[in-house]
Amino acid sequence: MAKSGNTKYIFVMGGVVSSLGKGIAAASLGLLLKLRGLNVTMLKFDPYLNVDPGTMSPFQHGEVFVTDDGAETDLDLGHYERFLDSHLGKHNNVTAGQVYDAILTKERRGDFLGRTVQVVPHVTNEIKSRVLQLKEDDPDLDVIITEIGGTVGDIEGLPFLESIRQFAYDLGRENCLYVHLTLVPYIHAAHEIKTKPTQHSVKDLREIGIQPDILVCRTRMHLNAEVRDKIALFCNVAPNEVIEAHDVESIYDVPLCLHEEGLDDRVCEKLGLKLDKPDLTEWQQFVSGVLDAPERVTIGVVGKYVDHLDSYKSIIESFIHAGETNGVKVDLRWVDSEKLDDATIAEKLKGLNGILVPGGFGHRGIEGKIMAIRIAREQKIPFFGICLGLQAAIIESARNLGALDDADSSEFNQQSSAPVICLMEEQKGIVQMGGTMRLGTYPCSLKPDTLARSCYTEDGIHERHRHRYEINNAFREQLEDTGMVFSGLSPDGQLVEIAERPDHPFFIGVQFHPELKSRPQNPHPLFRELVAAAKIHKGNADGSGDGAS
């Protein structure tokens, strides 16, 4: 049974402007409640009409976060998993597209018995059912935290806000809590903090029928008692229910700041949860390690979305985790693979202690990635390739070591005489793009006495995938002749999951996405060992031996 007797429902909304950090605030609250001993899960409502972000451009949506069960989801689920150290799934991200698709399917099937299908009650009931589904999945849940994407006032978000308004009627106000995240700007010319945007945002929310219980105020400046009292007075909350969320250096410091502000205390009080204070010792130690790292290493990320860093959100976080455990701060140098050529590559990659080539789709920028991989291989710079990064490493070896000058991927060149990368057999004939890739967690067997085996320290692993192309088995022997070792295979031996070069200090590529499983206090072993290798490489380049601090 849930410790509270009843599952509690917390809804996190945003106002004034987007990108205030609702996902981080919601995940931070989830962490604080989990550390108090509660069983917590999280849900993201995305009001857009796409069924999922799988077909959306990284330039528009950022990273697509893939869950164990193969759902393509919003990047906020990555924050949820990392902060809660949990594994979420397809039921933890719901889009308006999924909601309307379900309703229209029911209507065509005749489920509504001739009734007119309306936003209320049909759309709102469908939305509410997605929250309650999580309770069905895990009857022992104490708290379900639901984040509503967008901002109050967005037309597409209105059905979601109406749905969560109804929760208080359906389940009792004592079981529901509304947290509203707003912006409190500082006008530099006037030397004043302005509360009016927050007042108007709460006014819009109250017109919908939702009175927020707690306000989380994003601000660059600390809020004094006068400002808090003013916000409380005009927004109909108590002064101690105005929570300051000032800018911090690391997102991992947010839970500590919100705890100092008393957010989790207020939540527990209002929901009637009598619990011990959270033990934040380990989290504080991690944050201190992130902020106070005594050394630095520089790793180049060679990709084509480098002007839109949300496209690599989990990779960025994975380097933070790996840096902390190695006692270093990882400085990422973003290298646009489209702008690499013979004249610029030496300067662009100069001084790097490691190189990572991330995933992606399409031919654009691929030649720059291949050039960077050749530099990493020849100059013995620690290298890590993910998904397309692995495939580019295979093409590079085939061309430059295997005398297969025409080596390529059939994704880029269907006329290649040496398609060392080819479409997976089960992908052939698929027309529909959405949700049809090889998605989710698959097993992989590791060969003994390999770099992969030493990193993982186990014989079998499970990793998350998102791809359509693979290493062509017809060229395996020729690729092995170049010195490439296929150290990770699917259990049936038919798919290459990991390739590495034993003639190199650290050179490994994987077909899956390890960044999706890295956690603050449990960094992914491949990122951890890449950073360790980069630290050694820097030490050798500086003439300080093994790079140890």
mmCIF file with all atom_site columns, all heavy atoms in Angstrom, residues 115-133:
data_model
loop_
_atom_site.group_PDB
_atom_site.id
_atom_site.type_symbol
_atom_site.label_atom_id
_atom_site.label_alt_id
_atom_site.label_comp_id
_atom_site.label_asym_id
_atom_site.label_entity_id
_atom_site.label_seq_id
_atom_site.pdbx_PDB_ins_code
_atom_site.Cartn_x
_atom_site.Cartn_y
_atom_site.Cartn_z
_atom_site.occupancy
_atom_site.B_iso_or_equiv
_atom_site.pdbx_formal_charge
_atom_site.auth_seq_id
_atom_site.auth_comp_id
_atom_site.auth_asym_id
_atom_site.auth_atom_id
_atom_site.pdbx_PDB_model_num
ATOM 1   N N   . ARG A 1 115 ? -23.016 9.062  -29.623 1.00 0.00 ? 115 ARG A N   1
ATOM 2   C CA  . ARG A 1 115 ? -22.930 10.357 -28.964 1.00 0.00 ? 115 ARG A CA  1
ATOM 3   C C   . ARG A 1 115 ? -21.991 11.292 -29.728 1.00 0.00 ? 115 ARG A C   1
ATOM 4   O O   . ARG A 1 115 ? -21.058 10.856 -30.409 1.00 0.00 ? 115 ARG A O   1
ATOM 5   C CB  . ARG A 1 115 ? -22.426 10.194 -27.524 1.00 0.00 ? 115 ARG A CB  1
ATOM 6   C CG  . ARG A 1 115 ? -23.401 9.468  -26.602 1.00 0.00 ? 115 ARG A CG  1
ATOM 7   C CD  . ARG A 1 115 ? -22.971 9.599  -25.145 1.00 0.00 ? 115 ARG A CD  1
ATOM 8   N NE  . ARG A 1 115 ? -21.691 8.951  -24.906 1.00 0.00 ? 115 ARG A NE  1
ATOM 9   C CZ  . ARG A 1 115 ? -21.562 7.677  -24.550 1.00 0.00 ? 115 ARG A CZ  1
ATOM 10  N NH1 . ARG A 1 115 ? -22.633 6.911  -24.436 1.00 0.00 ? 115 ARG A NH1 1
ATOM 11  N NH2 . ARG A 1 115 ? -20.372 7.158  -24.334 1.00 0.00 ? 115 ARG A NH2 1
ATOM 12  N N   . THR A 1 116 ? -22.223 12.582 -29.573 1.00 0.00 ? 116 THR A N   1
ATOM 13  C CA  . THR A 1 116 ? -21.320 13.572 -30.138 1.00 0.00 ? 116 THR A CA  1
ATOM 14  C C   . THR A 1 116 ? -20.010 13.552 -29.353 1.00 0.00 ? 116 THR A C   1
ATOM 15  O O   . THR A 1 116 ? -20.017 13.617 -28.116 1.00 0.00 ? 116 THR A O   1
ATOM 16  C CB  . THR A 1 116 ? -21.937 14.981 -30.047 1.00 0.00 ? 116 THR A CB  1
ATOM 17  O OG1 . THR A 1 116 ? -23.167 14.984 -30.768 1.00 0.00 ? 116 THR A OG1 1
ATOM 18  C CG2 . THR A 1 116 ? -20.997 16.029 -30.636 1.00 0.00 ? 116 THR A CG2 1
ATOM 19  N N   . VAL A 1 117 ? -18.898 13.461 -30.043 1.00 0.00 ? 117 VAL A N   1
ATOM 20  C CA  . VAL A 1 117 ? -17.597 13.420 -29.384 1.00 0.00 ? 117 VAL A CA  1
ATOM 21  C C   . VAL A 1 117 ? -17.119 14.851 -29.161 1.00 0.00 ? 117 VAL A C   1
ATOM 22  O O   . VAL A 1 117 ? -17.020 15.640 -30.106 1.00 0.00 ? 117 VAL A O   1
ATOM 23  C CB  . VAL A 1 117 ? -16.576 12.625 -30.219 1.00 0.00 ? 117 VAL A CB  1
ATOM 24  C CG1 . VAL A 1 117 ? -15.229 12.588 -29.514 1.00 0.00 ? 117 VAL A CG1 1
ATOM 25  C CG2 . VAL A 1 117 ? -17.085 11.220 -30.475 1.00 0.00 ? 117 VAL A CG2 1
ATOM 26  N N   . GLN A 1 118 ? -16.823 15.189 -27.904 1.00 0.00 ? 118 GLN A N   1
ATOM 27  C CA  . GLN A 1 118 ? -16.484 16.564 -27.539 1.00 0.00 ? 118 GLN A CA  1
ATOM 28  C C   . GLN A 1 118 ? -15.206 16.607 -26.701 1.00 0.00 ? 118 GLN A C   1
ATOM 29  O O   . GLN A 1 118 ? -14.753 15.591 -26.178 1.00 0.00 ? 118 GLN A O   1
ATOM 30  C CB  . GLN A 1 118 ? -17.637 17.181 -26.745 1.00 0.00 ? 118 GLN A CB  1
ATOM 31  C CG  . GLN A 1 118 ? -18.945 17.260 -27.532 1.00 0.00 ? 118 GLN A CG  1
ATOM 32  C CD  . GLN A 1 118 ? -20.088 17.755 -26.666 1.00 0.00 ? 118 GLN A CD  1
ATOM 33  O OE1 . GLN A 1 118 ? -20.542 17.055 -25.766 1.00 0.00 ? 118 GLN A OE1 1
ATOM 34  N NE2 . GLN A 1 118 ? -20.544 18.974 -26.943 1.00 0.00 ? 118 GLN A NE2 1
ATOM 35  N N   . VAL A 1 119 ? -14.669 17.827 -26.596 1.00 0.00 ? 119 VAL A N   1
ATOM 36  C CA  . VAL A 1 119 ? -13.475 18.004 -25.770 1.00 0.00 ? 119 VAL A CA  1
ATOM 37  C C   . VAL A 1 119 ? -13.782 17.609 -24.329 1.00 0.00 ? 119 VAL A C   1
ATOM 38  O O   . VAL A 1 119 ? -13.011 16.900 -23.675 1.00 0.00 ? 119 VAL A O   1
ATOM 39  C CB  . VAL A 1 119 ? -12.958 19.455 -25.852 1.00 0.00 ? 119 VAL A CB  1
ATOM 40  C CG1 . VAL A 1 119 ? -11.824 19.677 -24.850 1.00 0.00 ? 119 VAL A CG1 1
ATOM 41  C CG2 . VAL A 1 119 ? -12.473 19.759 -27.265 1.00 0.00 ? 119 VAL A CG2 1
ATOM 42  N N   . VAL A 1 120 ? -14.926 18.103 -23.814 1.00 0.00 ? 120 VAL A N   1
ATOM 43  C CA  . VAL A 1 120 ? -15.415 17.680 -22.494 1.00 0.00 ? 120 VAL A CA  1
ATOM 44  C C   . VAL A 1 120 ? -16.707 16.906 -22.724 1.00 0.00 ? 120 VAL A C   1
ATOM 45  O O   . VAL A 1 120 ? -17.650 17.437 -23.298 1.00 0.00 ? 120 VAL A O   1
ATOM 46  C CB  . VAL A 1 120 ? -15.686 18.893 -21.575 1.00 0.00 ? 120 VAL A CB  1
ATOM 47  C CG1 . VAL A 1 120 ? -16.200 18.422 -20.216 1.00 0.00 ? 120 VAL A CG1 1
ATOM 48  C CG2 . VAL A 1 120 ? -14.440 19.764 -21.420 1.00 0.00 ? 120 VAL A CG2 1
ATOM 49  N N   . PRO A 1 121 ? -16.760 15.629 -22.398 1.00 0.00 ? 121 PRO A N   1
ATOM 50  C CA  . PRO A 1 121 ? -15.851 14.907 -21.489 1.00 0.00 ? 121 PRO A CA  1
ATOM 51  C C   . PRO A 1 121 ? -14.855 13.988 -22.182 1.00 0.00 ? 121 PRO A C   1
ATOM 52  O O   . PRO A 1 121 ? -14.017 13.403 -21.498 1.00 0.00 ? 121 PRO A O   1
ATOM 53  C CB  . PRO A 1 121 ? -16.829 14.072 -20.677 1.00 0.00 ? 121 PRO A CB  1
ATOM 54  C CG  . PRO A 1 121 ? -17.859 13.665 -21.686 1.00 0.00 ? 121 PRO A CG  1
ATOM 55  C CD  . PRO A 1 121 ? -18.018 14.857 -22.601 1.00 0.00 ? 121 PRO A CD  1
ATOM 56  N N   . HIS A 1 122 ? -14.935 13.814 -23.506 1.00 0.00 ? 122 HIS A N   1
ATOM 57  C CA  . HIS A 1 122 ? -14.197 12.714 -24.122 1.00 0.00 ? 122 HIS A CA  1
ATOM 58  C C   . HIS A 1 122 ? -12.688 12.944 -24.139 1.00 0.00 ? 122 HIS A C   1
ATOM 59  O O   . HIS A 1 122 ? -11.913 12.055 -23.765 1.00 0.00 ? 122 HIS A O   1
ATOM 60  C CB  . HIS A 1 122 ? -14.734 12.460 -25.535 1.00 0.00 ? 122 HIS A CB  1
ATOM 61  C CG  . HIS A 1 122 ? -16.193 12.113 -25.552 1.00 0.00 ? 122 HIS A CG  1
ATOM 62  N ND1 . HIS A 1 122 ? -17.180 13.022 -25.873 1.00 0.00 ? 122 HIS A ND1 1
ATOM 63  C CD2 . HIS A 1 122 ? -16.834 10.962 -25.233 1.00 0.00 ? 122 HIS A CD2 1
ATOM 64  C CE1 . HIS A 1 122 ? -18.360 12.446 -25.777 1.00 0.00 ? 122 HIS A CE1 1
ATOM 65  N NE2 . HIS A 1 122 ? -18.184 11.191 -25.389 1.00 0.00 ? 122 HIS A NE2 1
ATOM 66  N N   . VAL A 1 123 ? -12.263 14.135 -24.557 1.00 0.00 ? 123 VAL A N   1
ATOM 67  C CA  . VAL A 1 123 ? -10.822 14.409 -24.575 1.00 0.00 ? 123 VAL A CA  1
ATOM 68  C C   . VAL A 1 123 ? -10.282 14.476 -23.151 1.00 0.00 ? 123 VAL A C   1
ATOM 69  O O   . VAL A 1 123 ? -9.235  13.887 -22.833 1.00 0.00 ? 123 VAL A O   1
ATOM 70  C CB  . VAL A 1 123 ? -10.526 15.716 -25.336 1.00 0.00 ? 123 VAL A CB  1
ATOM 71  C CG1 . VAL A 1 123 ? -9.037  16.070 -25.226 1.00 0.00 ? 123 VAL A CG1 1
ATOM 72  C CG2 . VAL A 1 123 ? -10.923 15.585 -26.801 1.00 0.00 ? 123 VAL A CG2 1
ATOM 73  N N   . THR A 1 124 ? -10.985 15.164 -22.291 1.00 0.00 ? 124 THR A N   1
ATOM 74  C CA  . THR A 1 124 ? -10.502 15.285 -20.905 1.00 0.00 ? 124 THR A CA  1
ATOM 75  C C   . THR A 1 124 ? -10.478 13.933 -20.197 1.00 0.00 ? 124 THR A C   1
ATOM 76  O O   . THR A 1 124 ? -9.548  13.659 -19.417 1.00 0.00 ? 124 THR A O   1
ATOM 77  C CB  . THR A 1 124 ? -11.368 16.277 -20.123 1.00 0.00 ? 124 THR A CB  1
ATOM 78  O OG1 . THR A 1 124 ? -12.754 15.914 -20.260 1.00 0.00 ? 124 THR A OG1 1
ATOM 79  C CG2 . THR A 1 124 ? -11.179 17.694 -20.648 1.00 0.00 ? 124 THR A CG2 1
ATOM 80  N N   . ASN A 1 125 ? -11.460 13.095 -20.439 1.00 0.00 ? 125 ASN A N   1
ATOM 81  C CA  . ASN A 1 125 ? -11.451 11.765 -19.820 1.00 0.00 ? 125 ASN A CA  1
ATOM 82  C C   . ASN A 1 125 ? -10.274 10.933 -20.314 1.00 0.00 ? 125 ASN A C   1
ATOM 83  O O   . ASN A 1 125 ? -9.654  10.186 -19.551 1.00 0.00 ? 125 ASN A O   1
ATOM 84  C CB  . ASN A 1 125 ? -12.760 11.036 -20.097 1.00 0.00 ? 125 ASN A CB  1
ATOM 85  C CG  . ASN A 1 125 ? -13.907 11.545 -19.236 1.00 0.00 ? 125 ASN A CG  1
ATOM 86  O OD1 . ASN A 1 125 ? -13.692 12.282 -18.287 1.00 0.00 ? 125 ASN A OD1 1
ATOM 87  N ND2 . ASN A 1 125 ? -15.128 11.162 -19.578 1.00 0.00 ? 125 ASN A ND2 1
ATOM 88  N N   . GLU A 1 126 ? -9.968  11.052 -21.608 1.00 0.00 ? 126 GLU A N   1
ATOM 89  C CA  . GLU A 1 126 ? -8.843  10.307 -22.166 1.00 0.00 ? 126 GLU A CA  1
ATOM 90  C C   . GLU A 1 126 ? -7.531  10.783 -21.533 1.00 0.00 ? 126 GLU A C   1
ATOM 91  O O   . GLU A 1 126 ? -6.649  9.977  -21.206 1.00 0.00 ? 126 GLU A O   1
ATOM 92  C CB  . GLU A 1 126 ? -8.794  10.472 -23.683 1.00 0.00 ? 126 GLU A CB  1
ATOM 93  C CG  . GLU A 1 126 ? -7.697  9.686  -24.372 1.00 0.00 ? 126 GLU A CG  1
ATOM 94  C CD  . GLU A 1 126 ? -7.885  8.171  -24.299 1.00 0.00 ? 126 GLU A CD  1
ATOM 95  O OE1 . GLU A 1 126 ? -9.049  7.712  -24.243 1.00 0.00 ? 126 GLU A OE1 1
ATOM 96  O OE2 . GLU A 1 126 ? -6.869  7.452  -24.292 1.00 0.00 ? 126 GLU A OE2 1
ATOM 97  N N   . ILE A 1 127 ? -7.402  12.090 -21.354 1.00 0.00 ? 127 ILE A N   1
ATOM 98  C CA  . ILE A 1 127 ? -6.193  12.630 -20.732 1.00 0.00 ? 127 ILE A CA  1
ATOM 99  C C   . ILE A 1 127 ? -6.077  12.144 -19.294 1.00 0.00 ? 127 ILE A C   1
ATOM 100 O O   . ILE A 1 127 ? -5.005  11.688 -18.860 1.00 0.00 ? 127 ILE A O   1
ATOM 101 C CB  . ILE A 1 127 ? -6.215  14.172 -20.791 1.00 0.00 ? 127 ILE A CB  1
ATOM 102 C CG1 . ILE A 1 127 ? -6.048  14.650 -22.244 1.00 0.00 ? 127 ILE A CG1 1
ATOM 103 C CG2 . ILE A 1 127 ? -5.107  14.764 -19.912 1.00 0.00 ? 127 ILE A CG2 1
ATOM 104 C CD1 . ILE A 1 127 ? -6.287  16.131 -22.431 1.00 0.00 ? 127 ILE A CD1 1
ATOM 105 N N   . LYS A 1 128 ? -7.166  12.202 -18.543 1.00 0.00 ? 128 LYS A N   1
ATOM 106 C CA  . LYS A 1 128 ? -7.127  11.753 -17.145 1.00 0.00 ? 128 LYS A CA  1
ATOM 107 C C   . LYS A 1 128 ? -6.796  10.268 -17.050 1.00 0.00 ? 128 LYS A C   1
ATOM 108 O O   . LYS A 1 128 ? -6.086  9.838  -16.129 1.00 0.00 ? 128 LYS A O   1
ATOM 109 C CB  . LYS A 1 128 ? -8.467  12.052 -16.465 1.00 0.00 ? 128 LYS A CB  1
ATOM 110 C CG  . LYS A 1 128 ? -8.702  13.531 -16.193 1.00 0.00 ? 128 LYS A CG  1
ATOM 111 C CD  . LYS A 1 128 ? -9.925  13.771 -15.334 1.00 0.00 ? 128 LYS A CD  1
ATOM 112 C CE  . LYS A 1 128 ? -11.209 13.465 -16.074 1.00 0.00 ? 128 LYS A CE  1
ATOM 113 N NZ  . LYS A 1 128 ? -12.413 13.788 -15.250 1.00 0.00 ? 128 LYS A NZ  1
ATOM 114 N N   . SER A 1 129 ? -7.277  9.502  -18.019 1.00 0.00 ? 129 SER A N   1
ATOM 115 C CA  . SER A 1 129 ? -7.011  8.064  -17.978 1.00 0.00 ? 129 SER A CA  1
ATOM 116 C C   . SER A 1 129 ? -5.523  7.770  -18.104 1.00 0.00 ? 129 SER A C   1
ATOM 117 O O   . SER A 1 129 ? -5.045  6.745  -17.606 1.00 0.00 ? 129 SER A O   1
ATOM 118 C CB  . SER A 1 129 ? -7.787  7.347  -19.092 1.00 0.00 ? 129 SER A CB  1
ATOM 119 O OG  . SER A 1 129 ? -7.203  7.572  -20.368 1.00 0.00 ? 129 SER A OG  1
ATOM 120 N N   . ARG A 1 130 ? -4.784  8.671  -18.788 1.00 0.00 ? 130 ARG A N   1
ATOM 121 C CA  . ARG A 1 130 ? -3.345  8.443  -18.961 1.00 0.00 ? 130 ARG A CA  1
ATOM 122 C C   . ARG A 1 130 ? -2.601  8.644  -17.645 1.00 0.00 ? 130 ARG A C   1
ATOM 123 O O   . ARG A 1 130 ? -1.567  8.006  -17.409 1.00 0.00 ? 130 ARG A O   1
ATOM 124 C CB  . ARG A 1 130 ? -2.787  9.378  -20.035 1.00 0.00 ? 130 ARG A CB  1
ATOM 125 C CG  . ARG A 1 130 ? -3.444  9.243  -21.404 1.00 0.00 ? 130 ARG A CG  1
ATOM 126 C CD  . ARG A 1 130 ? -3.444  7.807  -21.904 1.00 0.00 ? 130 ARG A CD  1
ATOM 127 N NE  . ARG A 1 130 ? -4.079  7.654  -23.196 1.00 0.00 ? 130 ARG A NE  1
ATOM 128 C CZ  . ARG A 1 130 ? -3.432  7.596  -24.361 1.00 0.00 ? 130 ARG A CZ  1
ATOM 129 N NH1 . ARG A 1 130 ? -2.111  7.664  -24.370 1.00 0.00 ? 130 ARG A NH1 1
ATOM 130 N NH2 . ARG A 1 130 ? -4.093  7.441  -25.494 1.00 0.00 ? 130 ARG A NH2 1
ATOM 131 N N   . VAL A 1 131 ? -3.093  9.534  -16.783 1.00 0.00 ? 131 VAL A N   1
ATOM 132 C CA  . VAL A 1 131 ? -2.494  9.685  -15.458 1.00 0.00 ? 131 VAL A CA  1
ATOM 133 C C   . VAL A 1 131 ? -2.809  8.459  -14.607 1.00 0.00 ? 131 VAL A C   1
ATOM 134 O O   . VAL A 1 131 ? -1.929  7.879  -13.954 1.00 0.00 ? 131 VAL A O   1
ATOM 135 C CB  . VAL A 1 131 ? -3.013  10.965 -14.764 1.00 0.00 ? 131 VAL A CB  1
ATOM 136 C CG1 . VAL A 1 131 ? -2.338  11.133 -13.397 1.00 0.00 ? 131 VAL A CG1 1
ATOM 137 C CG2 . VAL A 1 131 ? -2.774  12.191 -15.626 1.00 0.00 ? 131 VAL A CG2 1
ATOM 138 N N   . LEU A 1 132 ? -4.061  8.047  -14.651 1.00 0.00 ? 132 LEU A N   1
ATOM 139 C CA  . LEU A 1 132 ? -4.489  6.916  -13.831 1.00 0.00 ? 132 LEU A CA  1
ATOM 140 C C   . LEU A 1 132 ? -3.872  5.604  -14.304 1.00 0.00 ? 132 LEU A C   1
ATOM 141 O O   . LEU A 1 132 ? -3.767  4.649  -13.522 1.00 0.00 ? 132 LEU A O   1
ATOM 142 C CB  . LEU A 1 132 ? -6.015  6.816  -13.857 1.00 0.00 ? 132 LEU A CB  1
ATOM 143 C CG  . LEU A 1 132 ? -6.745  8.031  -13.256 1.00 0.00 ? 132 LEU A CG  1
ATOM 144 C CD1 . LEU A 1 132 ? -8.242  7.912  -13.463 1.00 0.00 ? 132 LEU A CD1 1
ATOM 145 C CD2 . LEU A 1 132 ? -6.415  8.190  -11.778 1.00 0.00 ? 132 LEU A CD2 1
ATOM 146 N N   . GLN A 1 133 ? -3.457  5.535  -15.579 1.00 0.00 ? 133 GLN A N   1
ATOM 147 C CA  . GLN A 1 133 ? -2.806  4.345  -16.096 1.00 0.00 ? 133 GLN A CA  1
ATOM 148 C C   . GLN A 1 133 ? -1.543  4.024  -15.310 1.00 0.00 ? 133 GLN A C   1
ATOM 149 O O   . GLN A 1 133 ? -1.212  2.857  -15.066 1.00 0.00 ? 133 GLN A O   1
ATOM 150 C CB  . GLN A 1 133 ? -2.459  4.530  -17.578 1.00 0.00 ? 133 GLN A CB  1
ATOM 151 C CG  . GLN A 1 133 ? -1.728  3.357  -18.223 1.00 0.00 ? 133 GLN A CG  1
ATOM 152 C CD  . GLN A 1 133 ? -2.584  2.112  -18.295 1.00 0.00 ? 133 GLN A CD  1
ATOM 153 O OE1 . GLN A 1 133 ? -3.696  2.163  -18.820 1.00 0.00 ? 133 GLN A OE1 1
ATOM 154 N NE2 . GLN A 1 133 ? -2.084  0.991  -17.793 1.00 0.00 ? 133 GLN A NE2 1
#
